[in-house]
Amino acid sequence: MSQRITIHDIARELNLTTATVSRALNDHPRISTETKQLVQEKARQLKYRRNKLASSLRSGKSHTIGVIIPSAQMNFFGSVVHGIENTASSNGYSIILYQSEETTSLEKKAIETFLSARVDGILASIAKETVDYTHYVELRKRNIPLVFFDRTNEELQVPSVVIDDYRGAFLATEHLIKNGYARIAHVAGPQHIKGFRDRLSGYKDALLANNRTIVNEYIYQGNVSLESGKEAADYFLNLTAPPDAVFAVEDFTALGVIKCMKERNVKIPEDFGIIGFANENFDEHITPALSSVDQQTVQMGKEAFNLLMEIIKANDGKARVKDDTKIVLDPVLFFRESSTGKSN
Amino acid sequence: MSQRITIHDIARELNLTTATVSRALNDHPRISTETKQLVQEKARQLKYRRNKLASSLRSGKSHTIGVIIPSAQMNFFGSVVHGIENTASSNGYSIILYQSEETTSLEKKAIETFLSARVDGILASIAKETVDYTHYVELRKRNIPLVFFDRTNEELQVPSVVIDDYRGAFLATEHLIKNGYARIAHVAGPQHIKGFRDRLSGYKDALLANNRTIVNEYIYQGNVSLESGKEAADYFLNLTAPPDAVFAVEDFTALGVIKCMKERNVKIPEDFGIIGFANENFDEHITPALSSVDQQTVQMGKEAFNLLMEIIKANDGKARVKDDTKIVLDPVLFFRESSTGKSN
DNA sequence: GTGAAAGCGCTAACAC
DNA sequence: GTGTTAGCGCTTTCAC
């Protein structure tokens, strides 16, 4: 019912063989322009539509890639997927989307499905839960093109696309310094996650590079949440020499800090400066508008797909993209009211 | 390189035919339990993985569905996709994701790709730009299972899943009334879009049902944006008898209203109440926290997939799900500070 | 309960 | 420049 016209129909009507028709449709160089036009015209006329399953089965290329993200509900990943799908689509690729829900088991299931569907490559952001990477290692062994984005693992030697957390943190901290804040604190994230570790380093190095000293009590160990932002702010204000600015590891944490400051009547940005990380969509709408570091999500998706394409092509030509290829995107800072400087 | 083990390998090692192996792997009733176990064990041992392309080609079922959304970058759709993928995955289905970017051309391209990939069905939310629906009509003609979610078209007679905009608007308006606001205004959206039209009706009917009169100058025609919220608020405050509450067609509009009120020193919720629509993630974080109507996005995705499944199954059994099947989800209200009531 | 044979629709290798 | 032939890996009659 749904679709019956095949290249056989075209071949029959044109007194050609299916091979010729197939070649004509694929714009094969050794087919005459005349024949190509005839075939293409007839195909249009019969409303022919290539059966991708058959062609993929035979050719070994599915023109499909698998994408694993923790959850499409998370802003960040929705945005990256936007970039991936866009780029894939304009390159003639389809994407199969899977969510790991931060679990290793669904991650494995996704990979199973992808292999079964004979995808040409896989783009993945590692689930939080995952500590055993054998399913990914297996992909490398089978020589299946794989690229990590955002959530990577250094030891696995898988090509990846990330943003420069260190640099983002460095610039954010320096921005606070330049705007006249004297004692800059940091609400950190779990240190076993590389991105958060890098942000702490960037913060520290920015202080040192600007002849400030690192004050240990100005570094609060949070868990990337609104709550930990509040707690951190409370802690900071109770110090004998409280800081006058905070670089928060991420925007919800920053939001927590802002809420606490408001409750305690500390004026932002006059008495206290703050900058976050992620450039969430609420940043510009809260009061005061929150300065933040944008993670270039769409660009990340685009770059990840392009890198995967490179690997796929190299694979076809028996070449090889270096395993330690790593694209590091430059974060972009958005300066808003929350960090415009101290009043004096 | 990537994958060489086929049912032939299993058959050879076990001295069976591929037919038997295939049946055993598919849990065919007429295969002995013994054989099944042997085959399944051997499959595991050889790390066999079914070639989905081949099986789909032969059987005519791909266990894949196509999903068209305007953009994965939009919160709302990311969230719906979350619901779709989750449900699909646990039912053994994969999803191919396409973004229309609100254009008809990409919508058509998506459908082309889906047909080519022989998806078992399609889930779609119509692009804003689309006024010519022939590509969707074509799907109906070919009897390809199709379900619309959120953005539907009434005339097309395609099964759909939407939320009850009318009821959401009615309840939101009534909430403002119950909390003591006397003159309730509405910032409306473009009236050619059904959802927005329904919200206006819900607003009006709630007023009438509570013995209020509909005041025409309390209805501002906006365009669903922060800007139009600001403009509306300005307009309202300049009336000789300004309203004391607003039901905004959507949260960004509500945010615009709030911003304007703050600038003009109107106190929320004491002097002015406000409730929005969408339950955006910033709602609870702005000041005052914004009351809103949640659109049940994840549930919508789940219901849409389930409805599609029903149609697919009915199709197989030559039955038919009614074309005008329409699942209407109940919106859920979130009451926050912005509408807690007038001071007296 | 299992086997033999055919074929889904396409592309690729080899002819000429 | 086009035809011939084979086959990707699976499922599905139809046998027995």
Side-chain angles (χ1 to χ4, degrees):
Chain A
M1 176 70 71
S2 52
Q3 179 67 37
R4 353 194 102 275
I5 293 116
T6 72
I7 49 173
H8 285 94
D9 301 312
I10 300 178
R12 190 173 356 88
E13 297 221 7
L14 257 35
N15 260 319
L16 291 169
T17 65
T18 58
T20 308
V21 172
S22 172
R23 290 188 189 109
L25 290 171
N26 288 312
D27 207 24
H28 188 111
R30 283 197 311 206
I31 296 290
S32 71
T33 328
E34 213 178 359
T35 311
K36 279 182 189 168
Q37 284 183 342
L38 268 173
V39 170
Q40 272 147 16
E41 174 49 31
K42 182 59 77 181
R44 214 169 302 126
Q45 186 187 319
L46 296 179
K47 292 193 180 177
Y48 165 78
R49 200 163 282 131
R50 168 205 259 90
N51 185 326
K52 217 181 159 193
L53 296 174
S55 112
S56 299
L57 176 59
R58 184 61 240 253
S59 70
K61 321 232 118 295
S62 63
H63 284 264
T64 297
I65 63 161
V67 177
I68 306 178
I69 56 172
S71 167
Q73 224 175 351
M74 295 166 73
N75 254 269
F76 177 87
F77 290 108
S79 198
V80 177
V81 166
H82 174 78
I84 295 173
E85 199 280 314
N86 260 355
T87 320
S89 182
S90 42
N91 281 278
Y93 274 74
S94 298
I95 70 167
I96 304 183
L97 185 72
Y98 249 89
Q99 299 173 108
S100 67
E101 310 289 350
E102 304 286 10
T103 69
T104 308
S105 66
L106 283 178
E107 211 171 53
K108 284 183 177 166
K109 206 179 142 199
I111 290 177
E112 278 303 312
T113 309
F114 291 161
L115 290 176
S116 227
R118 298 300 192 266
V119 296
D120 290 347
I122 295 175
L123 248 32
S125 211
I126 304 175
K128 269 189 193 158
E129 185 189 289
T130 300
V131 286
D132 171 16
Y133 299 92
T134 41
H135 46 301
Y136 287 121
V137 173
E138 183 76 6
L139 289 177
R140 302 291 298 160
K141 277 194 199 144
R142 290 167 174 277
N143 206 26
I144 305 218
L146 170 67
V147 167
F148 284 144
F149 59 92
D150 191 53
R151 310 258 198 91
T152 71
N153 178 294
E154 300 279 283
E155 290 144 37
L156 250 44
Q157 291 282 70
V158 170
S160 61
V161 182
V162 295
I163 74 136
D164 194 336
D165 287 286
Y166 173 86
R167 190 170 153 75
F170 190 99
L171 294 174
T173 307
E174 200 159 59
H175 162 73
L176 292 172
I177 295 173
K178 284 186 181 151
N179 277 6
Y181 297 102
R183 297 175 305 284
I184 298 164
H186 177 49
V187 185
Q191 293 298 298
H192 65 276
I193 293 173
K194 187 172 181 305
F196 299 148
R197 215 161 52 227
D198 289 349
R199 292 179 201 175
L200 176 57
S201 305
Y203 157 79
K204 286 182 177 172
D205 286 2
L207 291 180
L208 296 177
N210 287 273
N211 302 313
R212 307 287 172 104
T213 47
I214 293 166
V215 180
N216 278 331
E217 57 183 9
Y218 283 177
I219 298 172
Y220 183 90
Q221 187 53 57
N223 63 357
V224 191
S225 68
L226 195 134
E227 278 315 311
S228 84
K230 280 186 178 170
E231 288 159 20
D234 250 333
Y235 159 81
F236 286 142
L237 292 183
N238 288 336
L239 291 176
T240 42
D244 63 357
V246 156
F247 159 52
V249 70
E250 160 273 354
D251 285 344
F252 281 94
T253 304
L255 190 60
V257 173
I258 290 177
K259 290 203 167 178
C260 177
M261 291 299 164
K262 278 186 179 175
E263 278 167 22
R264 297 180 61 158
N265 288 317
V266 176
K267 283 190 191 129
I268 302 175
E270 297 87 346
D271 300 338
F272 202 94
I274 175 146
I275 184 165
F277 210 109
N279 201 22
E280 291 281 349
N281 72 351
F282 60 76
D283 288 1
E284 50 180 321
H285 304 309
I286 60 177
T287 309
L290 176 62
S291 297
S292 191
V293 181
D294 185 88
Q295 298 181 88
Q296 301 293 88
T297 47
V298 177
Q299 184 66 13
M300 181 179 288
K302 187 179 164 169
E303 299 274 358
F305 177 81
N306 286 337
L307 180 53
L308 186 65
M309 273 313 292
E310 243 181 77
I311 297 173
I312 292 173
K313 279 186 192 144
N315 245 7
D316 289 351
K318 308 294 171 216
R320 197 165 171 84
V321 170
K322 285 207 299 291
D323 289 346
D324 56 357
T325 300
K326 190 167 181 172
I327 295 178
V328 181
L329 301 177
D330 242 6
V332 174
L333 273 71
F334 282 78
F335 304 125
R336 302 196 179 92
E337 197 192 343
S338 71
S339 63
T340 40
K342 289 197 83 158
S343 57
N344 28 2
Chain B
M1 176 72 67
S2 51
Q3 179 66 36
R4 352 197 100 277
I5 294 117
T6 72
I7 50 174
H8 286 95
D9 301 312
I10 300 178
R12 193 177 347 96
E13 297 220 9
L14 255 36
N15 260 319
L16 290 169
T17 66
T18 59
T20 308
V21 173
S22 172
R23 290 190 188 105
L25 290 171
N26 289 314
D27 207 24
H28 187 110
R30 285 197 310 208
I31 295 290
S32 70
T33 327
E34 212 178 359
T35 311
K36 279 182 190 169
Q37 285 183 342
L38 270 175
V39 169
Q40 272 148 18
E41 173 51 31
K42 182 58 80 181
R44 214 169 301 124
Q45 186 187 319
L46 296 179
K47 292 193 180 175
Y48 167 77
R49 199 164 283 133
R50 172 209 254 81
N51 185 326
K52 217 182 161 195
L53 296 174
S55 106
S56 300
L57 176 60
R58 184 61 240 255
S59 70
K61 322 232 119 295
S62 63
H63 284 263
T64 298
I65 63 161
V67 177
I68 306 179
I69 57 172
S71 167
Q73 225 177 349
M74 295 166 73
N75 253 268
F76 178 87
F77 290 108
S79 197
V80 177
V81 166
H82 173 78
I84 295 174
E85 198 281 313
N86 261 357
T87 320
S89 182
S90 41
N91 280 279
Y93 274 74
S94 299
I95 70 167
I96 304 184
L97 184 71
Y98 250 90
Q99 299 174 108
S100 67
E101 310 290 350
E102 304 286 11
T103 69
T104 309
S105 66
L106 283 177
E107 211 171 53
K108 284 184 177 166
K109 206 178 142 198
I111 291 178
E112 278 302 312
T113 309
F114 291 160
L115 291 176
S116 225
R118 297 301 192 268
V119 296
D120 290 347
I122 295 175
L123 247 33
S125 209
I126 304 176
K128 269 189 193 159
E129 185 190 288
T130 299
V131 286
D132 172 16
Y133 299 94
T134 41
H135 47 301
Y136 286 121
V137 173
E138 183 74 7
L139 289 177
R140 302 291 297 159
K141 278 196 198 141
R142 289 167 175 279
N143 206 25
I144 305 217
L146 170 67
V147 166
F148 284 143
F149 59 92
D150 190 54
R151 310 255 198 95
T152 72
N153 178 294
E154 299 281 282
E155 290 144 37
L156 249 46
Q157 292 281 71
V158 169
S160 60
V161 182
V162 294
I163 75 137
D164 195 335
D165 287 286
Y166 173 88
R167 190 169 153 75
F170 189 101
L171 294 174
T173 307
E174 199 159 59
H175 163 71
L176 291 173
I177 295 172
K178 283 185 181 150
N179 276 7
Y181 297 102
R183 297 176 305 282
I184 297 163
H186 176 48
V187 186
Q191 292 298 299
H192 66 277
I193 293 173
K194 186 170 181 308
F196 299 149
R197 215 161 53 226
D198 289 350
R199 292 180 202 176
L200 175 57
S201 306
Y203 157 79
K204 285 181 176 172
D205 286 1
L207 291 180
L208 295 177
N210 287 274
N211 301 314
R212 306 290 170 102
T213 47
I214 293 166
V215 180
N216 278 331
E217 58 184 7
Y218 283 178
I219 299 171
Y220 182 90
Q221 186 53 58
N223 64 356
V224 192
S225 67
L226 194 134
E227 278 315 310
S228 84
K230 280 187 177 170
E231 287 159 18
D234 250 332
Y235 159 81
F236 288 142
L237 292 184
N238 287 336
L239 291 176
T240 42
D244 64 355
V246 156
F247 160 51
V249 70
E250 158 273 355
D251 285 343
F252 281 94
T253 303
L255 189 61
V257 173
I258 291 177
K259 289 204 167 180
C260 177
M261 292 298 163
K262 278 188 179 173
E263 277 166 22
R264 296 181 62 157
N265 289 316
V266 177
K267 280 188 194 134
I268 302 175
E270 298 86 348
D271 300 337
F272 202 93
I274 175 147
I275 183 165
F277 209 109
N279 201 21
E280 291 281 350
N281 73 350
F282 61 75
D283 288 1
E284 52 181 318
H285 303 309
I286 59 177
T287 311
L290 176 62
S291 297
S292 192
V293 181
D294 186 89
Q295 300 180 86
Q296 301 292 89
T297 47
V298 177
Q299 185 65 13
M300 181 179 289
K302 188 178 162 166
E303 298 275 359
F305 178 81
N306 286 337
L307 180 53
L308 186 65
M309 273 315 291
E310 243 181 76
I311 297 173
I312 292 173
K313 278 183 192 144
N315 245 7
D316 288 351
K318 309 291 171 217
R320 195 164 173 85
V321 170
K322 285 208 298 293
D323 289 345
D324 56 356
T325 300
K326 190 166 180 173
I327 295 178
V328 181
L329 301 177
D330 242 7
V332 174
L333 272 71
F334 282 78
F335 304 126
R336 303 198 178 90
E337 196 194 343
S338 71
S339 62
T340 40
K342 288 197 83 161
S343 58
N344 30 1

